[in-house]
Amino acid sequence: MQLTARRSAGVRDTDGMAVASFVLGLLGLLVLNLFLGPTAIVLASVALIRGTTRPGRAWLGLTLGLADLAILLAFMQADASISWSF
C-alpha cells in the first residue's frame, strides 16, 4: 500500500513539472524569457525522464522554453542589448 502511494505521488510530481514547464514556457514568451525559458526546459526534461503521464505538455514546455531563448537571441541581435521590451 505504501509503495502505491509513493508511485502516485511521484507521478503527480512529474505531471506537475510538465504543466509548470508549459506554463512557464508560455509566460516566458512575454516576460523574463532569460530565466523562464531555461527553467521550462529543465522542468520538461526532468518530467520526460521520470516518465510523466502528460508527455505532450512536457514536450510543449520544452519547445516553448527553446522558443523563449530563440526570441531572446533574435531581439538581442536586433536591439544590440541583453534585454528587450514591448
Side-chain angles (χ1 to χ4, degrees), residues 17-37:
M17 285 183 205
V19 172
S21 71
F22 173 71
V23 171
L24 291 177
L26 197 58
L27 186 61
L29 291 174
L30 299 174
V31 293
L32 294 173
N33 47 3
L34 180 64
F35 301 107
L36 296 179

Side-chain angles (χ1 to χ4, degrees), residues 12-77:
R12 221 174 330 132
D13 288 345
T14 57
D15 288 349
M17 285 183 205
V19 172
S21 71
F22 173 71
V23 171
L24 291 177
L26 197 58
L27 186 61
L29 291 174
L30 299 174
V31 293
L32 294 173
N33 47 3
L34 180 64
F35 301 107
L36 296 179
T39 304
I41 292 169
V42 169
L43 285 174
S45 300
V46 171
L48 288 169
I49 289 170
R50 290 187 181 177
T52 181
T53 59
R54 298 178 183 219
R57 289 271 165 84
W59 282 110
L60 280 172
L62 184 66
T63 304
L64 287 170
L66 292 171
D68 291 346
L69 296 179
I71 288 172
L72 176 66
L73 289 175
F75 279 109
M76 283 173 50
Q77 291 297 319

